[in-house]
Amino acid sequence: MFSNITDRIRLLFRKDKEPYLCFYRMLGFYPRNIEIYQQALLHKSSSVKSGKGKLLNNERLEFLGDAILDAVVADIVYKRFEGKREGFLTNTRSKIVQRETLNRVAVEIGLDKLIKYTTRQSSHNSYMCGNAFEALIGAIYLDRGYRVCKWFMEERIIKQYLNLDKISRKEVNFKSKLIEWSQKNKFEIAFNLVGQSVDNEQNPIFETMITVENIAGGSGKGYSKKESQQEAAHETLDKIKNDPQFIDAIFAAKSEREKSEEDPMAVATRPASEVPAISVTQEEKNPERYEDTERIIAEAEDAAFQEEAQQKEDK
C-alpha cells in the first residue's frame, strides 16, 4: 500500500533508531511523528507536562481512536459480509471493538509492554491495554490518515489475530447478562413489547423497551421478539456503563423501592423526573456501587460470548 523506503533512509541519519524500529515491528511502517505514538502509550497516571504546561496523556487520542476504529471496522465488516443486514453488521463490529478483543490484541502485538503507567493503576484497570490500542489507532490516523488505519487493522490485526467468520457466528447474549447483572445487584427489570409493525416486504418487526426500576432503559427492534430483546438489552447495558445520570437514577429508585417495601406508609415512590442527577459528591460517597457495576458490565461485554450453531444467514 505504501513504501517505507523514504522513511528507512531518514532513519539512517537518526541517532534514536530503536523507538522507530520498535514501532515498525508492531505497525509494519515507520512513524513520521513518533511523539504522538509515544503519547498514545502514556496512561493518565503517568501524565507529563508539555512545553506549554498542559498535561499530556493518551486520553484524547483514545477518544479519537475509538471513533476511527468504529468507522474502520464498520468499513471492513460491510465489505467482508456483502448482503448481510444492518443488525448482523452492528453485532459483528461490536464483537471486534469490545474491550475483551482489544485487550487481547494489544497483548498479542506487545503493546502492553510499552504502556507507561503507575503500578497502583495496573492493579485494577482492566481496560488499560484496550484503551491504549484505541489511542494507537488515533495516533496512526493523525500521523498517516484513514487509509493506513484501515490497512493496519486489515493486514496487521484482523488477518493475524481475528477470524471474522468465527466472530460473526458467536452471539453475545446481552439479555442473559443484563438479567444476571440485575439479580446480582437486586434491581427490578422488565422487558416490554411496545410495538409491532411490518417492513416493506411485510416481514414482522418487533420493538422492545426495557425498564430498570420503572425507569426507561434501552429499546430495540428486530425480526423476532428475541432479537428485539437482545438489542434493547445491549442498549441498556451501554447506558448502565456510560450514562452516569441513568445509573444514579436507577440506584435512587431502587433505594426508594426498598424503603417503601420496609415501610409502605413511610415513603411514596417518586417519578423518575424527580430523581436527582449524578454529582461528583454522590459518586465519591458511594464508590463501591460504581466500581462493582463497572466490573459486572465489563463481564457482560467482555465475557459474554456463547458458542451456538451458526447464525441464520438472513433471518
Side-chain angles (χ1 to χ4, degrees), residues 99 152 187 231:
R99 279 296 180 270
F152 173 73
F187 281 98
E231 290 295 322

Side-chain angles (χ1 to χ4, degrees), residues 122-222:
S122 66
S123 62
H124 65 273
N125 191 341
S126 60
Y127 294 161
M128 188 182 299
C129 293
N131 292 345
F133 184 85
E134 289 180 337
L136 182 67
I137 297 297
I140 296 172
Y141 175 74
L142 292 177
D143 186 49
R144 292 279 192 154
Y146 177 86
R147 292 180 63 196
V148 176
C149 285
K150 185 170 181 286
W151 176 88
F152 173 73
M153 283 302 300
E154 282 186 307
E155 301 298 325
R156 305 289 292 189
I157 301 301
I158 291 176
K159 281 189 177 181
Q160 297 187 38
Y161 304 109
L162 302 176
N163 184 325
L164 290 190
D165 290 325
K166 185 176 180 179
I167 288 174
S168 70
R169 291 195 297 268
K170 288 182 177 180
E171 181 177 326
V172 180
N173 194 333
F174 295 110
K175 180 180 178 181
S176 69
K177 289 302 173 180
L178 179 61
I179 293 173
E180 177 186 341
W181 173 85
S182 67
Q183 292 174 342
K184 188 178 184 68
N185 288 273
K186 298 181 173 59
F187 281 98
E188 290 187 351
I189 64 171
F191 290 77
N192 307 300
L193 183 64
V194 296
Q196 185 172 345
S197 59
V198 294
D199 63 12
N200 293 334
E201 299 176 357
Q202 299 303 304
N203 296 310
I205 299 176
F206 301 89
E207 182 175 3
T208 295
M209 167 71 75
I210 293 176
T211 57
V212 183
E213 296 293 340
N214 291 319
I215 296 173
S219 62
K221 293 182 178 181

